[in-house]
Short mmCIF file of all heavy atoms in Angstrom, two decimals:
data_model
loop_
_atom_site.label_atom_id
_atom_site.label_comp_id
_atom_site.label_asym_id
_atom_site.label_seq_id
_atom_site.Cartn_x
_atom_site.Cartn_y
_atom_site.Cartn_z
N ALA A 78 236.13 100.68 105.22
CA ALA A 78 235.22 101.48 104.38
C ALA A 78 236.01 102.12 103.24
O ALA A 78 235.57 102.11 102.08
CB ALA A 78 234.51 102.55 105.21
N LEU A 79 237.19 102.64 103.55
CA LEU A 79 237.99 103.31 102.51
C LEU A 79 238.42 102.32 101.43
O LEU A 79 238.40 102.64 100.24
CB LEU A 79 239.22 103.99 103.13
CG LEU A 79 238.89 105.14 104.09
CD1 LEU A 79 240.16 105.76 104.64
CD2 LEU A 79 238.03 106.21 103.42
N GLN A 80 238.77 101.08 101.85
CA GLN A 80 239.12 100.05 100.85
C GLN A 80 237.92 99.72 99.98
O GLN A 80 238.05 99.54 98.76
CB GLN A 80 239.60 98.78 101.56
CG GLN A 80 240.97 98.91 102.21
CD GLN A 80 241.22 97.79 103.23
OE1 GLN A 80 240.52 96.78 103.23
NE2 GLN A 80 242.21 97.98 104.09
N THR A 81 236.74 99.65 100.62
CA THR A 81 235.51 99.36 99.87
C THR A 81 235.22 100.47 98.86
O THR A 81 234.84 100.22 97.72
CB THR A 81 234.31 99.21 100.86
OG1 THR A 81 234.68 98.25 101.84
CG2 THR A 81 233.06 98.76 100.14
N ILE A 82 235.40 101.71 99.31
CA ILE A 82 235.16 102.86 98.42
C ILE A 82 236.09 102.78 97.19
O ILE A 82 235.65 102.96 96.05
CB ILE A 82 235.40 104.20 99.18
CG1 ILE A 82 234.30 104.41 100.23
CG2 ILE A 82 235.45 105.38 98.21
CD1 ILE A 82 234.61 105.50 101.24
N GLU A 83 237.38 102.48 97.45
CA GLU A 83 238.35 102.40 96.33
C GLU A 83 237.95 101.30 95.34
O GLU A 83 238.00 101.49 94.12
CB GLU A 83 239.77 102.12 96.87
CG GLU A 83 240.30 103.12 97.89
CD GLU A 83 240.81 104.42 97.26
OE1 GLU A 83 240.84 104.49 96.02
OE2 GLU A 83 241.17 105.34 98.02
N LYS A 84 237.53 100.15 95.90
CA LYS A 84 237.11 99.04 95.03
C LYS A 84 235.89 99.44 94.21
O LYS A 84 235.83 99.18 93.00
CB LYS A 84 236.79 97.79 95.87
CG LYS A 84 238.01 97.04 96.36
CD LYS A 84 237.58 95.84 97.21
CE LYS A 84 238.78 95.29 97.97
NZ LYS A 84 238.38 94.37 99.05
N ASN A 85 234.91 100.04 94.88
CA ASN A 85 233.69 100.43 94.17
C ASN A 85 233.98 101.50 93.11
O ASN A 85 233.39 101.48 92.03
CB ASN A 85 232.63 100.92 95.16
CG ASN A 85 231.99 99.78 95.93
OD1 ASN A 85 231.94 98.65 95.44
ND2 ASN A 85 231.51 100.06 97.13
N ALA A 86 234.89 102.40 93.42
CA ALA A 86 235.25 103.44 92.45
C ALA A 86 235.88 102.81 91.20
O ALA A 86 235.55 103.17 90.07
CB ALA A 86 236.19 104.46 93.09
N ARG A 87 236.81 101.83 91.43
CA ARG A 87 237.47 101.17 90.28
C ARG A 87 236.45 100.40 89.45
O ARG A 87 236.50 100.41 88.22
CB ARG A 87 238.58 100.23 90.78
CG ARG A 87 239.87 100.96 91.12
CD ARG A 87 241.06 100.00 91.22
NE ARG A 87 240.89 99.04 92.29
CZ ARG A 87 241.22 99.28 93.57
NH1 ARG A 87 241.74 100.45 93.93
NH2 ARG A 87 241.05 98.36 94.48
N LEU A 88 235.51 99.76 90.16
CA LEU A 88 234.47 98.98 89.48
C LEU A 88 233.66 99.85 88.51
O LEU A 88 233.17 99.38 87.49
CB LEU A 88 233.55 98.38 90.56
CG LEU A 88 232.65 97.22 90.24
CD1 LEU A 88 233.46 96.03 89.72
CD2 LEU A 88 231.88 96.81 91.51
N ASN A 89 233.54 101.13 88.85
CA ASN A 89 232.76 102.05 88.02
C ASN A 89 233.65 102.99 87.20
O ASN A 89 233.17 103.97 86.64
CB ASN A 89 231.81 102.86 88.91
CG ASN A 89 230.74 102.01 89.53
OD1 ASN A 89 229.76 101.65 88.88
ND2 ASN A 89 230.91 101.64 90.80
N ARG A 90 234.96 102.70 87.19
CA ARG A 90 235.95 103.52 86.48
C ARG A 90 235.87 105.00 86.91
O ARG A 90 235.91 105.91 86.09
CB ARG A 90 235.77 103.40 84.97
CG ARG A 90 236.00 101.97 84.50
CD ARG A 90 236.36 101.91 83.03
NE ARG A 90 236.57 100.54 82.62
CZ ARG A 90 235.80 99.90 81.73
NH1 ARG A 90 234.79 100.52 81.15
NH2 ARG A 90 236.05 98.66 81.40
N LEU A 91 235.71 105.17 88.22
CA LEU A 91 235.62 106.53 88.76
C LEU A 91 236.80 106.85 89.70
O LEU A 91 236.78 107.85 90.40
CB LEU A 91 234.29 106.71 89.52
CG LEU A 91 233.04 106.77 88.64
CD1 LEU A 91 231.77 106.65 89.49
CD2 LEU A 91 233.00 108.05 87.82
N GLU A 92 237.82 105.97 89.68
CA GLU A 92 238.90 106.14 90.66
C GLU A 92 239.65 107.47 90.50
O GLU A 92 240.22 107.98 91.46
CB GLU A 92 239.87 104.95 90.63
CG GLU A 92 240.63 104.73 89.32
CD GLU A 92 239.89 103.82 88.33
OE1 GLU A 92 238.65 103.81 88.35
OE2 GLU A 92 240.57 103.13 87.55
N ASP A 93 239.64 108.04 89.30
CA ASP A 93 240.34 109.32 89.11
C ASP A 93 239.49 110.52 89.54
O ASP A 93 239.96 111.65 89.53
CB ASP A 93 240.69 109.52 87.62
CG ASP A 93 241.66 108.45 87.14
OD1 ASP A 93 242.38 107.89 88.01
OD2 ASP A 93 241.68 108.16 85.93
N ARG A 94 238.25 110.23 89.89
CA ARG A 94 237.36 111.35 90.23
C ARG A 94 236.94 111.36 91.70
O ARG A 94 235.98 112.02 92.07
CB ARG A 94 236.13 111.33 89.30
CG ARG A 94 236.53 111.72 87.86
CD ARG A 94 235.44 111.41 86.88
NE ARG A 94 234.24 112.18 87.15
CZ ARG A 94 233.05 111.91 86.62
NH1 ARG A 94 232.91 110.89 85.79
NH2 ARG A 94 232.01 112.65 86.90
N ILE A 95 237.69 110.59 92.50
CA ILE A 95 237.44 110.64 93.94
C ILE A 95 238.74 110.88 94.70
O ILE A 95 239.83 110.54 94.22
CB ILE A 95 236.79 109.34 94.50
CG1 ILE A 95 237.76 108.15 94.37
CG2 ILE A 95 235.46 109.03 93.80
CD1 ILE A 95 237.41 107.01 95.31
N THR A 96 238.58 111.48 95.89
CA THR A 96 239.69 111.60 96.85
C THR A 96 239.14 111.14 98.19
O THR A 96 238.04 111.56 98.57
CB THR A 96 240.17 113.06 96.95
OG1 THR A 96 240.47 113.54 95.64
CG2 THR A 96 241.39 113.18 97.84
#
Side-chain angles (χ1 to χ4, degrees):
L79 296 180
Q80 289 163 16
T81 307
I82 291 166
E83 303 282 355
K84 283 178 194 166
N85 285 333
R87 280 196 297 275
L88 198 58
N89 293 282
R90 297 202 180 116
L91 289 168
E92 63 270 30
D93 297 336
R94 290 167 63 194
I95 66 159
T96 306

